[in-house]
Amino acid sequence: MGLNDSSPGAMRNGRGLSDQWAESVVVRPRTTERHITVHKRLVLGFALSILTLIIVTAVAVVLNIKFKDCGAQDRDETTGEPSSRGPGGSAKLNGGRGERTGEKGDEEVVQPWRNSRLPGSVRPRHYDLRLAVYMDNFTFSGEVSIELECINATRFIVLHADRLEAHCELRGAVGCQAGLLRYPQTNQMYVVALHREMKPMRVYRLNVSFDAAIEDELLGFFRSSYTMQRERRYLAVTQFSPIHARKAFPCFDEPVYKATFSLTLRHDPQYTSLSNMPVESSLLSDEDGWLTNHFARTPRMSTYYLAWAVCNFTYRETQTDSGVTIRLYARPDAILSGAGDYALHITKRLLGFYQDYFKVQYSLPKLDLLAVPKHPYAAMENWGLSVFVEQKILLDADVSSSSYQMELTMVVVHEICHQWFGDLVTPVWWEDVWLKEGFAHFFEYIGTDFLFPKWNMEKQRFLTDVLHEVMLLDGLSSSHPISQEVEQATDIDRVFDWIAYKKGAALIRMLANVMGQPLFQKGLNSLIIYTTCVFDSALKAMRSEGRDIDIGEMMDRWTLQMGYPVVTISKNQSEQLPTYYITVSQEHFLYGEEVRKNNSLQWQVPLTVAVGNTSAVCSESLIWINNKTETHRIGQMDDSTWLVGNINQTGYFRVNYDLQNWKLLIQQLHTNPQVNLVCIQAGYLPQGVPLQLIGYLPEEMSFLPWHAASRALYQLDKLLDRTDEYRLFSDYVLKQVASRYHQMGWPTNGPGTEGNVLQASYQTEELQRELIMLACSFGNKQCHRQAVAYISDWISSNKNRIPPNIRDIVYCTGVSLMDEDVWEFIWMKFHSSNAVSEKKILLEALTCSDNTFLLNRLLNLSLTSDLVPEQDVIDVIIHVGRNPQGRNLAWRYFREKWDILNARYGEALFMNSKLISGVTEFLNTERELNEFSLNTSHVHIQMFFFSCV
């Protein structure tokens, strides 16, 4: 390690210093030496005492800090830094809590590594990172040279390192000490203690060499493998989000510390190496034959967006009209089969779409899509090198269903959006992660509508798959504000939840509808170019059009408060006389009357209202609700006039009406089922009203109402399946489904129809699938016979004639109804199939068996063998838990194997929470809650147990 001091000079980008960089470090002065004259024996005794003290002190230091010698050298020249705006920036919530404020304690000032955040006395400007990757023994060694800018005088450089063996050397006349702190271990900080103070406004260079293992877990720089022609092949890839770059190299691993990166990778030439930027130069060594790739310098970005991979994949490529090269890398057999062609095609279109929408060009010369067999998440949006698990990017058109293709499409749309919102514009701290994830989740539906307008995603699937789903979570008393304070690294995981993703998307959709699309796009363009606060950008865009709405004040209510309101609308009508007025009230929506205690929360609600009768519907009007109760004038109404609020459900709130209006709306649904409603739950309505609403479904021919009803019925199914009333419930559902199910029938599987969802009949196909799923799930005999016939034909002919769009339903139904031989047949097909989408639904079908022996066998194989891919283990446990016959098995298995599961997946975002919520999904009694609490008291989790009427 070397430390080189540059000559004094002002910051070259001309920016002032913010408080986040301005925390000073105080160092205690040395004690002066004194000459003491004493008796010879006293000197000897004193010397022995000092020697003992030194030994004790040395032991204490080794146990706590393990310091090493290193050096520093003055640096005489100053190098350039990117411009004040640069290619990146920060998006924060009204100046957000991401900037640290307040005074530190004396201990944290003297020992800044005791703080949970980096002290900010220095900041990185550029990393020169050189790595040698050894795939034969899964290790790597590296050197990093970090160009630093000193903000406040300090004798400590504090950065992050985790599981790295760091090495330093003494260079120059200025000495220092460095070491990986043992306390507190959770901070994962690496401290360089200098003999001489660094001076503000100067540039230094810190050099550190290190060694580490390429881990088998799914974070940091980890390894994966696949089998091709009976040979196991390995690859290594990075996953740094949110705080795992520190596992691969010493760095300032907080998102606010943006810097540029130059990466050099050295490895065996049989492998290919990839990174964020293109290869700038390659050199094949004459000595050992190894290949050295030097990659071009990146734009300024956060550490968690740096990425690299070493693999022996092949690729296909295309190029945009603006010259951006797009490549998709995957297993050679997957590339040869064309499984990556679909994702490559839509990525090219999406880059053009986002450039037009945001009015900002894609920043890099290339974009690589990497399909890996094993990954902790669906995908990761590393700038210029996005990594996907194979199931979310490889598509075999002959066997993939429309739902699989839709899911894959939305994952790609999400990650490409992050090339702007996330990579280019980055929240300064994790509490505002909902901004980037909310935008990307919202644009999943906008971008997919651009690719396939007939899918109508934003107007339909967004309501059922995002809005309704997150309202279930956010209506619980255990919910939380979308913007959460994050102090410790251990707190970061909890901000990556469905509240951040789905509520974030719903709020952004509401804001877009309030502003209108042209102003919304204008605000986004301002946000990206000038990296201002997102709500400031929206406010400026509104005011430029003469609309004086304080967007920041409005959105603060929605982001800093938990939950959402239920808005109740009633007509001010008496004695059958016409009226022009309505009364509107709001209160915090919560499940269960006993938890509705906090009535102090209020929101600024953009309420759209329309009135109508059996013959006509008036145009909608917008009303702003700012108080608990308000009265507003709208069109003339009489006793036959109904009204409906929150048109197209663009607002993030529920709407309730007086009972007379509900009756009028139910009549309207039976005569003209085009009114868009969200059923009120949790005791706000008599039980009969929701059932009356469902009663019109036999007359409904559109996909959206059936899809919404299916999701609502699933919630009821979870609550009732172990009660005496379940048979009545299932019979009622079958009665509602029967007529439309028989009318729609089953899909044909003629030549050329397999996997083809890019057609006008998409909505019809999805409705047909929804009806078949409901019929088979609730026990329709004809549906069961058809599924068994398909499976029997497949076994006897060894030719799969089951239409791809319903294969998952047929497989599951067949396995649940037929004997053990069918389970073994599906197990065999799971191992022989090369199509990732087919393998996924075959594995899920194995969890549908009624045979507890087979379910137990599958659970044990999933965790103790290589027969089930590691990333699929959690899905196996969850799906066994959804099977009534496997519920107790999964629950017991979860408890018994918790230590193993937590060790394997504990650091991976979503995986543990997905497992816990999935296994406990059907636990809804007081006894089960107590049992759960008893068995998981040592686990830091929060669970939701609730019931709704």
Side-chain angles (χ1 to χ4, degrees):
M1 176 185 65
L3 186 69
N4 303 319
D5 183 6
S6 74
S7 58
M11 294 174 58
R12 287 158 303 164
N13 62 2
R15 287 178 292 184
L17 300 179
S18 64
D19 289 341
Q20 58 195 357
W21 309 114
E23 296 174 16
S24 61
V25 179
V26 178
V27 182
R28 292 190 179 98
R30 298 179 182 176
T31 305
T32 57
E33 297 180 0
R34 299 177 180 175
H35 298 283
I36 304 175
T37 305
V38 292
H39 190 273
K40 186 175 181 179
R41 290 183 179 179
L42 291 178
V43 171
L44 180 61
F46 182 76
L48 290 173
S49 300
I50 292 297
L51 180 61
T52 303
L53 180 61
I54 290 173
I55 294 172
V56 172
T57 302
V59 171
V61 170
V62 168
L63 290 175
N64 283 277
I65 299 184
K66 188 185 177 183
F67 280 114
K68 298 180 181 179
D69 287 335
C70 60
Q73 179 177 327
D74 283 353
R75 188 166 179 249
D76 297 325
E77 61 182 3
T78 302
T79 57
E81 178 176 330
S83 65
S84 61
R85 180 169 66 83
S90 299
K92 55 188 178 182
L93 180 65
N94 295 340
R97 294 182 300 265
E99 299 182 13
R100 298 184 300 281
T101 58
E103 297 296 325
K104 294 185 179 183
D106 292 340
E107 187 180 64
E108 290 182 357
V109 172
V110 176
Q111 299 179 318
W113 55 87
R114 293 184 179 274
N115 194 2
S116 60
R117 298 279 299 277
L118 295 178
S121 299
V122 296
R123 67 176 177 183
R125 302 191 343 171
H126 178 72
Y127 294 81
D128 189 359
L129 179 60
R130 299 173 296 280
L131 299 174
V133 180
Y134 306 99
M135 295 298 290
D136 55 343
N137 63 1
F138 303 119
T139 62
F140 68 101
S141 60
E143 297 177 352
V144 63
S145 179
I146 310 175
E147 184 180 288
L148 301 171
E149 187 170 50
C150 181
I151 307 303
N152 291 96
T154 180
R155 291 175 62 180
F156 296 104
I157 300 174
V158 183
L159 62 162
H160 291 107
D162 183 21
R163 309 182 196 180
L164 300 175
E165 290 294 329
H167 309 282
C168 306
E169 59 180 347
L170 184 64
R171 298 175 60 189
V174 180
C176 68
Q177 291 181 306
L180 184 62
L181 278 174
R182 303 301 181 189
Y183 176 83
Q185 294 181 357
T186 54
N187 282 10
Q188 301 167 347
M189 289 184 179
Y190 188 85
V191 179
V192 179
L194 308 176
H195 287 178
R196 195 171 68 190
E197 193 173 68
M198 297 174 69
K199 296 175 181 162
M201 314 298 283
R202 293 190 178 185
V203 177
Y204 298 80
R205 187 171 293 276
L206 174 68
N207 301 318
V208 184
S209 60
F210 53 92
D211 301 282
I214 303 174
E215 301 286 357
D216 193 27
E217 61 184 42
L218 303 179
L219 299 168
F221 187 27
F222 70 93
R223 66 182 184 267
S224 181
S225 66
Y226 63 97
T227 302
M228 186 171 174
Q229 297 174 348
R230 298 185 178 181
E231 175 191 358
R232 183 171 289 278
R233 300 185 180 184
Y234 290 92
L235 64 143
V237 65
T238 59
Q239 171 56 43
F240 290 161
S241 177
I243 54 168
H244 304 293
R246 64 192 69 176
K247 289 181 170 68
F249 66 105
C251 58
F252 294 77
D253 202 13
E254 293 180 3
V256 72
Y257 292 95
K258 283 191 169 187
T260 55
F261 296 82
S262 294
L263 176 67
T264 301
L265 289 176
R266 184 173 178 272
H267 53 81
D268 191 306
Q270 68 173 300
Y271 292 95
T272 299
S273 56
L274 307 170
S275 188
N276 307 78
M277 299 295 286
V279 174
E280 200 169 55
S281 63
S282 292
L283 178 65
L284 199 62
S285 172
D286 293 332
E287 297 180 3
D288 56 11
W290 273 40
L291 178 67
T292 300
N293 281 335
H294 177 68
F295 296 88
R297 186 177 181 132
T298 71
R300 289 180 67 244
M301 63 184 187
S302 301
T303 50
Y304 72 93
Y305 282 131
L306 182 66
W308 63 80
V310 177
C311 59
N312 46 20
F313 285 172
T314 55
Y315 66 88
R316 289 195 181 177
E317 75 173 29
T318 187
Q319 196 170 63
T320 68
D321 295 338
S322 58
V324 177
T325 299
I326 307 170
R327 289 180 175 177
L328 189 144
Y329 287 84
R331 292 177 284 109
D333 54 340
I335 293 295
L336 188 63
S337 70
D341 293 354
Y342 172 74
L344 194 64
H345 167 71
I346 65 172
T347 297
K348 178 180 178 179
R349 294 184 62 197
L350 286 167
L351 281 182
F353 166 72
Y354 284 127
Q355 288 180 152
D356 290 342
Y357 197 101
F358 300 140
K359 309 301 181 188
V360 177
Q361 292 295 301
Y362 176 69
S363 303
L364 306 186
K366 64 94 173 176
L367 174 59
D368 293 334
L369 312 176
L370 179 64
V372 297
K374 184 172 69 172
H375 197 265
Y377 317 122
M380 178 60 204
E381 68 274 11
N382 308 307
W383 210 353
L385 177 59
S386 291
V387 182
F388 298 76
V389 70
E390 288 183 338
Q391 292 177 355
K392 303 302 182 183
I393 197 169
L394 300 182
L395 179 75
D396 189 328
D398 290 334
V399 299
S400 298
S401 66
S402 60
S403 58
Y404 180 86
Q405 182 170 1
M406 183 188 71
E407 183 180 356
L408 183 153
T409 301
M410 296 177 74
V411 171
V412 175
V413 173
H414 181 108
E415 303 309 322
I416 303 306
C417 179
H418 272 314
Q419 301 296 309
W420 282 264
F421 283 98
D423 298 350
L424 187 60
V425 181
T426 310
V428 298
W429 187 235
W430 299 108
E431 61 201 7
D432 291 330
V433 74
W434 73 268
L435 279 170
K436 76 182 187 76
E437 295 303 343
F439 270 112
H441 201 50
F442 173 59
F443 274 97
E444 286 181 30
Y445 297 84
I446 303 299
T448 304
D449 275 344
F450 162 76
L451 295 171
F452 307 113
K454 294 185 183 297
W455 290 12
N456 203 16
M457 298 293 291
E458 193 266 331
K459 291 288 193 299
Q460 296 202 11
R461 293 299 286 255
F462 187 93
L463 304 182
T464 55
D465 298 2
V466 179
L467 185 65
H468 299 177
E469 188 170 304
V470 74
M471 279 182 160
L472 288 174
L473 291 174
D474 207 20
L476 301 172
S477 59
S478 52
S479 186
H480 59 78
I482 194 172
S483 182
Q484 303 181 75
E485 290 194 28
V486 176
E487 296 296 335
Q488 305 289 337
T490 51
D491 296 332
I492 294 173
D493 288 4
R494 63 183 172 84
V495 303
F496 284 86
D497 62 4
W498 284 135
I499 298 292
Y501 281 70
K502 294 182 182 289
K503 183 175 181 178
L507 293 182
I508 290 165
R509 177 174 177 261
M510 180 172 70
L511 179 61
N513 279 277
V514 168
M515 297 179 67
Q517 183 171 327
L519 284 183
F520 182 64
Q521 288 184 246
K522 185 176 181 179
L524 294 185
N525 174 259
S526 174
L527 170 63
I528 294 173
I529 292 179
Y530 300 109
T531 62
T532 58
C533 168
V534 60
F535 300 143
D536 287 345
S537 299
L539 178 61
K540 290 176 183 176
M542 295 281 280
R543 286 180 174 171
S544 69
E545 298 293 322
R547 298 170 61 184
D548 193 13
I549 299 175
D550 191 337
I551 294 294
E553 181 182 347
M554 166 198 161
M555 294 303 292
D556 273 354
R557 299 284 186 94
W558 295 95
T559 59
L560 302 180
Q561 295 180 161
M562 64 174 280
Y564 55 88
V566 53
V567 175
T568 301
I569 310 172
S570 57
K571 292 183 285 188
N572 291 3
Q573 189 172 349
S574 62
E575 299 180 358
Q576 310 301 315
L577 297 176
T579 183
Y580 292 88
Y581 293 92
I582 58 172
T583 296
V584 184
S585 62
Q586 63 165 296
E587 68 172 297
H588 184 193
F589 180 93
L590 286 171
Y591 288 99
E593 294 186 15
E594 70 280 359
V595 296
R596 295 177 205 159
K597 298 175 182 177
N598 186 2
N599 290 319
S600 63
L601 298 183
Q602 285 184 216
W603 291 262
Q604 290 186 3
V605 181
L607 175 65
T608 51
V609 179
V611 298
N613 51 41
T614 55
S615 60
V617 179
C618 296
S619 60
E620 65 183 76
S621 56
L622 175 62
I623 300 171
W624 284 94
I625 310 300
N626 298 303
N627 302 302
K628 282 288 186 181
T629 303
E630 297 181 5
T631 300
H632 290 271
R633 179 187 172 98
I634 59 173
Q636 181 174 330
M637 298 172 289
D638 57 29
D639 60 352
S640 65
T641 304
W642 51 259
L643 59 87
V644 61
N646 197 15
I647 312 302
N648 294 322
Q649 299 173 47
T650 55
Y652 186 69
F653 51 89
R654 296 187 186 272
V655 179
N656 194 11
Y657 310 97
D658 57 74
L659 287 178
Q660 177 61 26
N661 196 69
W662 276 115
K663 292 177 181 177
L664 292 170
L665 289 174
I666 292 169
Q667 292 173 14
Q668 180 69 18
L669 284 173
H670 283 278
T671 58
N672 183 18
Q674 299 301 319
V675 179
N676 214 338
L677 301 176
V678 180
C679 183
I680 301 296
Q681 301 177 54
Y684 286 88
L685 279 177
Q687 296 179 12
V689 174
L691 293 177
Q692 290 177 50
L693 287 169
I694 295 174
Y696 96 97
L697 281 174
E699 303 163 40
E700 179 60 68
M701 300 186 65
S702 299
F703 164 71
L704 176 61
W706 276 105
H707 188 56
S710 177
R711 285 176 168 261
L713 291 170
Y714 178 68
Q715 299 297 327
L716 288 173
D717 183 76
K718 289 194 298 183
L719 295 171
L720 298 174
D721 76 330
R722 288 180 290 175
T723 66
D724 295 336
E725 293 78 18
Y726 184 74
R727 174 52 58 190
L728 292 173
F729 168 68
S730 61
D731 288 345
Y732 177 79
V733 173
L734 287 175
K735 180 181 178 182
Q736 305 305 314
V737 171
S739 61
R740 190 61 63 192
Y741 161 72
H742 289 296
Q743 183 184 37
M744 295 293 294
W746 285 62
T748 58
N749 198 16
T753 63
E754 284 128 341
N756 182 17
V757 300
L758 310 182
Q759 52 186 306
S761 61
Y762 169 77
Q763 298 292 337
T764 302
E765 289 182 355
E766 286 298 280
L767 174 58
Q768 188 179 53
R769 170 186 163 81
E770 201 77 51
L771 291 166
I772 292 171
M773 183 181 66
L774 284 168
C776 280
S777 297
F778 283 94
N780 181 284
K781 300 301 182 185
Q782 194 278 335
C783 191
H784 284 180
R785 286 194 298 270
Q786 183 66 53
V788 168
Y790 266 128
I791 296 290
S792 299
D793 175 70
W794 184 16
I795 294 173
S796 62
S797 66
N798 202 30
K799 184 174 181 179
N800 192 343
R801 299 186 179 92
I802 305 170
N805 209 36
I806 57 169
R807 282 188 178 180
D808 57 337
I809 303 170
V810 172
Y811 292 173
C812 182
T813 304
V815 167
S816 68
L817 295 174
M818 302 171 78
D819 59 22
E820 185 176 339
D821 290 340
V822 172
W823 193 94
E824 297 290 353
F825 175 80
I826 297 294
W827 177 251
M828 177 190 68
K829 291 296 182 182
F830 165 70
H831 288 291
S832 62
S833 176
N834 291 319
V836 291
S837 61
E838 183 75 355
K839 290 181 76 72
K840 179 178 183 290
I841 62 174
L842 286 166
L843 183 60
E844 290 176 0
L846 293 168
T847 69
C848 298
S849 175
D850 285 347
N851 188 321
T852 55
F853 170 78
L854 294 175
L855 294 176
N856 205 42
R857 173 185 166 191
L858 180 63
L859 286 171
N860 289 321
L861 286 172
S862 68
L863 199 58
T864 60
S865 73
D866 294 330
L867 298 176
V868 175
E870 187 172 344
Q871 70 269 16
D872 293 332
V873 171
I874 287 178
D875 285 334
V876 167
I877 299 172
I878 290 173
H879 280 85
V880 170
R882 289 176 179 170
N883 182 341
Q885 303 303 318
R887 193 163 300 156
N888 292 331
L889 287 176
W891 175 225
R892 184 175 69 245
Y893 192 80
F894 165 79
R895 287 177 289 162
E896 292 175 352
K897 305 296 183 182
W898 169 250
D899 290 339
I900 298 173
L901 292 166
N902 191 43
R904 181 181 295 187
Y905 303 112
E907 284 194 89
L909 299 177
F910 287 125
M911 282 201 166
N912 256 356
S913 58
K914 178 183 176 182
L915 172 63
I916 294 167
S917 61
V919 170
T920 60
E921 185 177 8
F922 286 84
L923 306 183
N924 53 24
T925 67
E926 191 71 27
R927 179 186 62 80
E928 289 167 335
L929 172 59
N930 293 334
E931 184 180 24
F932 175 83
S933 302
L934 179 65
N935 283 277
T936 57
S937 58
H938 62 293
V939 185
H940 181 65
I941 53 177
Q942 180 181 41
M943 285 307 303
F944 303 134
F945 286 86
F946 69 95
S947 61
C948 60
V949 179

